[in-house]
Amino acid sequence: MNNSVMMKTFCGRANPTTGSLDSVEEGEEYDYHQEIARSCYADMLHDTDRNEKYYQGIRAAVSRVKARGERVVVLDIGTGTGLLSMMAVTAGADYCYSVEVFKPMAEAAACIKKKNGFSDKIKIINKHSTEVTVGPDGDMQEKANILVTELFDTELIGEGALPSYEHAHLHLVQPGCEAVPHRATIYAQVVESEQLWSWAQIQPIQVEERTLLPPAAVTQCAGAPSVCDIQLSQVTPSAFTNLGPLCAMFSVDFSTPVSSTPQSHSCRFVVQSSGRAQVVLSWWDLDMDPSGSIVCSMAPSWTYSDPREYPWRDHWMQSVYFLPAERSVCEGEELSLTVCHDDYSLWYSLSAGEQSDVATPCCTCQAHLLWTRPRFGELNDRRRRESYLSALRSILRPDSVCLSVSDGSLLPIFAHLLGAKKVFSLENSGMAKRVIEQFLEANSLRNGVQLLEIRPDQLTSADVEEEQISVLIGEPYFSTSLLPWHSLCFWYCRTALSRLLRPDATIMPSSATLYVIAVEFQDLWRIRAPCGTCEGFDVSPMDEMVQRSLDFRESREAEPHPLWEYPCRALSQPCSVMTFDFLQCVPEQPISSQGAVQLTGRGRCHGVALWMEYRLTDDITVSMGLTQPASEEGACVWSPHRKQGVYFLREPWESTGDGEASVTYSITFDPSIGDIKMDFSVTQA
């Protein structure tokens, strides 16, 4: 056997659509291609504000070191494409050590530095910075006197910035070194927001004359500890009420030794408006120099006097933190907001007095582990819920034997309250079963719904008390779904349950339709746009690597994105491209569809958005994509509860809006794997 040939291995992974265990190619090469193809490096390179501020800070730091008469040695941790290292050398640095742990990125950085003529002054070190050594035989010949890093995420410290800085100051840089950025400051503001709070807690639900209450274990739970990172600019100021001022919670000086030990910081403030303290909005700034004259801010667009000056970015967004419990506050009241952090995460609490060492929030009710934040919002959506209730009212009868198939759904409880004779619910996990049991017990409905932790293909007549199912329902919602068509898992479940359904059984939803629409993105296109050059440096080798990674796949794929966070304009009418009939079983043969979507809007077509709409009854449909027709200007309003699919064209197309150009499509649903292969391109008439 040729040892130079990379061996491929396969591992079993649950298929999100079929529910089966599939063999998936696994190995170093496959993983690298996946990581590169999915990376959003282009967003960072297209972030002009970020790049300019870093360049200004690096030039200033190099000047300060040279003014002291010292040789300028730079350590760049997390170099990525090597852009910041090239900036440093161009600014006059004598030598730069560039550390990058991800092998493909390190290889790309090596190509980029060579292409730009920096081979003699930049050394790429393919290691984690904590493994780098200094000395005659080490990775670095000498300690650096300028530390340049880009180790930050939306939460600032979530990528391990603090331990990396701590190690660097102990082992890799000189005492009193310059740092770019010089410091970071985290800001926070307490607000009341029904919209945001609906992502954290289930609200009481009215079903006929009955009010369905959330379990006390859920309402009293502090929730999941993970940050909710979003494009806060897309949450309008009318959606929340500021209860206090914007507080500077704490700063980290990166030019001095940094500690990664857990810490807490408090800020006292006077309540500006009475209300319910529920949510903390947070973001941070970077001071690129000691004087604070070069600032890179993550503040949302509505904090700008001119929102057009807002520098859009997706690699850094803003954070939403949910307080452990909502608290009524009165105008003029003095409170203390406390932030705590460990190596990687932050959490907040609010009290009348000083606090310290507030325990890390931990979900004890399991609902916050079962449901994502968008799922909480979906369950709290009154309009959506009324669609399902109206559909259930029209199909349920006093003798209905109902079976629900979704993950952690409240539909079976609704079916019982609406008068079904018997209700069974298949739950895919013990956690889902326990969460729904809590709802049943909290509302004295324990005997109203029988919960079954059984796979659909294993369900027997004995499990449903020898009853034939007359009504099969689903939202459909499955926790493993990422792309819109992954919820076709409901179709596979319906097929597996056919033997238990009455011949005249009602299926809700009865069908699903896949829709597409051609769009121009305001900003999201940046994550896939080639860069070519950035700040005068040629970074095209990275573009080439990403393209090879995309070509590594048999066909191009759609990506899941929550489009409510990413404004776009419709350049065509919505077009239904494929319908899946749930009244029939999943077919054995593939389903294919070809056609064209006429470009009727003027603008730059970056690609298409895809979503599913479910037909509950003849006159009730719920959309997981557009929630209303696009405006005359093409503005789109997307469901905030589900991610839509986005297929980026290889090259943007300038649409004149005269209908002479169309986006042609070829779509094939392969029932054997439950996936959709697709191809889109623009043709001119």
Side-chain angles (χ1 to χ4, degrees):
M1 180 179 294
N2 185 347
N3 291 330
S4 67
V5 176
M6 179 173 289
M7 298 299 294
K8 294 180 179 179
T9 58
F10 295 86
C11 68
R13 290 184 183 173
N15 186 304
T17 308
T18 67
S20 63
L21 192 66
D22 295 344
S23 293
V24 179
E25 181 183 349
E26 191 70 270
E28 183 179 281
E29 180 185 12
Y30 179 79
D31 288 344
Y32 281 177
H33 279 294
Q34 291 301 295
E35 290 296 328
I36 294 170
R38 293 170 180 165
S39 69
C40 295
Y41 84 97
D43 169 36
M44 290 184 282
L45 296 181
H46 281 292
D47 187 347
T48 303
D49 178 72
R50 164 194 178 270
N51 299 336
E52 289 180 346
K53 299 297 175 52
Y54 261 101
Y55 211 169
Q56 292 171 21
I58 289 170
R59 286 198 297 264
V62 170
S63 296
R64 290 194 297 273
V65 174
K66 281 186 171 294
R68 299 197 294 262
E70 300 177 19
R71 168 180 159 85
V72 180
V73 181
V74 176
L75 172 61
D76 176 8
I77 299 178
T79 194
T81 60
L83 176 64
L84 302 184
S85 295
M86 293 188 294
M87 289 179 177
V89 173
T90 302
D94 295 289
Y95 202 77
C96 185
Y97 295 99
S98 306
V99 181
E100 176 56 54
V101 67
F102 185 40
K103 184 177 179 181
M105 289 298 283
E107 293 173 348
C111 292
I112 291 170
K113 74 162 185 174
K114 182 177 180 180
K115 191 159 190 175
N116 287 273
F118 293 108
S119 295
D120 295 337
K121 288 197 171 185
I122 297 176
K123 179 182 180 181
I124 307 296
I125 303 173
N126 181 206
K127 288 184 176 181
H128 193 283
S129 65
T130 56
E131 299 173 345
V132 172
T133 58
V134 180
D137 299 321
D139 302 302
M140 299 171 59
Q141 297 298 300
E142 57 191 314
K143 290 187 176 182
N145 50 18
I146 296 182
L147 176 59
V148 176
T149 61
E150 207 281 56
L151 299 171
F152 314 116
D153 67 350
T154 293
E155 205 171 14
L156 183 68
I157 65 173
E159 292 185 0
L162 296 181
S164 296
Y165 272 110
E166 185 175 45
H167 177 271
H169 277 287
L170 287 172
H171 303 287
L172 305 179
V173 298
Q174 301 173 19
C177 73
E178 301 285 344
V180 181
H182 180 80
R183 77 175 65 85
T185 302
I186 289 183
Y187 299 90
Q189 188 164 33
V190 180
V191 304
E192 174 183 349
S193 173
E194 181 179 352
Q195 175 185 338
L196 299 179
W197 190 242
S198 73
W199 297 351
Q201 291 290 349
I202 297 295
Q203 303 303 310
I205 298 170
Q206 194 69 29
V207 182
E208 307 301 342
E209 302 302 319
R210 184 74 179 265
T211 300
L212 187 66
L213 299 174
V218 176
T219 59
Q220 297 170 7
C221 179
S226 58
V227 65
C228 176
D229 54 340
I230 64 170
Q231 291 284 356
L232 199 53
S233 297
Q234 299 309 312
V235 178
T236 62
S238 62
F240 57 88
T241 301
N242 295 327
L243 302 182
L246 184 65
C247 300
M249 298 305 300
F250 69 95
S251 295
V252 181
D253 186 336
F254 298 124
S255 67
T256 60
V258 172
S259 173
S260 63
T261 57
Q263 296 181 24
S264 64
H265 309 269
S266 294
C267 180
R268 294 196 68 78
F269 69 94
V270 176
V271 176
Q272 298 175 337
S273 178
S274 299
R276 294 172 298 157
Q278 300 167 324
V279 176
V280 176
L281 309 182
S282 181
W283 56 85
W284 45 267
D285 287 349
L286 293 176
D287 288 330
M288 294 298 182
D289 66 326
S291 68
S293 59
I294 307 170
V295 181
C296 186
S297 175
M298 304 310 121
S301 62
W302 33 259
T303 65
Y304 285 69
S305 56
D306 184 355
R308 291 173 298 181
E309 297 179 356
Y310 170 68
W312 183 88
R313 46 177 69 96
D314 202 46
H315 54 103
W316 296 329
M317 293 184 279
Q318 295 80 37
S319 300
V320 173
Y321 297 90
F322 303 99
L323 292 172
E326 64 178 352
R327 174 193 179 107
S328 295
V329 299
C330 297
E331 183 179 352
E333 183 181 0
E334 188 173 353
L335 295 174
S336 180
L337 179 64
T338 298
V339 61
C340 301
H341 71 80
D342 53 22
D343 287 9
Y344 294 93
S345 59
L346 292 82
W347 58 96
Y348 286 83
S349 61
L350 188 67
S351 68
E354 296 290 340
Q355 298 185 82
S356 62
D357 300 328
V358 179
T360 308
C362 177
C363 177
T364 55
C365 71
Q366 298 189 308
H368 298 92
L369 302 178
L370 173 67
W371 293 325
T372 63
R373 272 116 184 185
R375 177 60 172 165
F376 269 91
E378 187 171 54
L379 293 171
N380 283 319
D381 188 323
R382 298 183 186 90
R383 182 176 177 181
R384 170 192 168 278
R385 183 167 62 243
E386 188 52 43
S387 293
Y388 280 96
L389 287 171
S390 296
L392 286 172
R393 291 187 191 101
S394 70
I395 64 174
L396 291 176
R397 302 290 181 267
D399 61 349
S400 293
V401 177
C402 185
L403 175 62
S404 175
V405 180
S406 289
D407 286 355
S409 174
L410 300 181
L411 286 191
I413 301 179
F414 297 166
H416 170 68
L417 293 176
L418 292 174
K421 173 187 172 184
K422 288 186 178 180
V423 181
F424 301 92
S425 180
L426 293 189
E427 302 298 338
N428 74 332
S429 68
M431 182 186 297
K433 184 170 179 283
R434 286 189 291 273
V435 169
I436 301 304
E437 282 175 343
Q438 292 180 65
F439 275 85
L440 293 171
E441 291 170 359
N443 292 276
S444 302
L445 299 172
R446 190 65 185 86
N447 297 323
V449 179
Q450 187 169 339
L451 304 176
L452 306 170
E453 190 184 345
I454 303 174
R455 289 175 52 89
D457 57 349
Q458 297 174 338
L459 192 70
T460 66
S461 296
D463 295 318
V464 292
E465 302 173 1
E466 306 301 331
E467 296 272 11
Q468 275 199 307
I469 304 302
S470 60
V471 179
L472 179 67
I473 61 174
E475 299 194 45
Y477 170 82
F478 299 94
S479 58
T480 55
S481 298
L482 289 175
L483 289 160
W485 44 92
H486 287 167
S487 289
L488 291 176
C489 184
F490 177 80
W491 200 12
Y492 286 83
C493 293
R494 175 259 184 270
T495 302
L497 295 166
S498 295
R499 67 194 186 285
L500 300 177
L501 302 179
R502 284 175 42 175
D504 60 347
T506 299
I507 313 293
M508 187 201 87
S510 59
S511 66
T513 299
L514 178 65
Y515 280 83
V516 303
I517 192 170
V519 294
E520 174 187 46
F521 285 109
Q522 179 174 305
D523 295 296
L524 187 62
W525 60 270
R526 301 174 194 271
I527 70 172
R528 288 290 170 264
C531 298
T533 61
C534 181
E535 295 297 322
F537 302 105
D538 186 346
V539 295
S540 58
M542 194 64 208
D543 292 332
E544 296 162 7
M545 183 174 288
V546 170
Q547 190 56 56
R548 288 197 302 272
S549 299
L550 292 171
D551 292 341
F552 179 76
R553 304 293 295 169
E554 291 182 4
S555 63
R556 301 197 69 213
E557 298 178 335
E559 306 170 6
H561 290 286
L563 290 185
W564 73 271
E565 295 185 54
Y566 305 106
C568 63
R569 290 178 53 247
L571 300 181
S572 74
Q573 293 297 313
C575 177
S576 61
V577 296
M578 188 171 287
T579 295
F580 309 91
D581 185 0
F582 297 160
L583 300 182
Q584 306 298 321
C585 293
V586 175
E588 295 182 0
Q589 299 302 315
I591 306 173
S592 295
S593 176
Q594 293 81 36
V597 182
Q598 192 176 44
L599 292 173
T600 55
R602 180 184 294 273
R604 172 168 284 195
C605 181
H606 293 114
V608 299
L610 305 96
W611 72 96
M612 297 286 254
E613 294 191 2
Y614 296 98
R615 187 181 185 187
L616 304 185
T617 64
D618 289 344
D619 56 352
I620 301 176
T621 301
V622 291
S623 173
M624 305 304 170
L626 287 178
T627 57
Q628 60 189 56
S631 69
E632 290 185 5
E633 295 77 25
C636 298
V637 179
W638 298 98
S639 168
H641 310 314
R642 302 284 180 103
K643 291 182 178 181
Q644 292 74 40
V646 176
Y647 185 103
F648 288 101
L649 297 173
R650 289 184 180 272
E651 297 288 343
W653 179 272
E654 296 293 343
S655 171
T656 59
D658 57 9
E660 294 296 315
S662 299
V663 177
T664 60
Y665 61 84
S666 176
I667 297 175
T668 300
F669 171 70
D670 184 346
S672 67
I673 59 174
D675 201 6
I676 293 179
K677 294 183 179 181
M678 62 188 68
D679 186 62
F680 293 89
S681 60
V682 179
T683 59
Q684 185 78 40

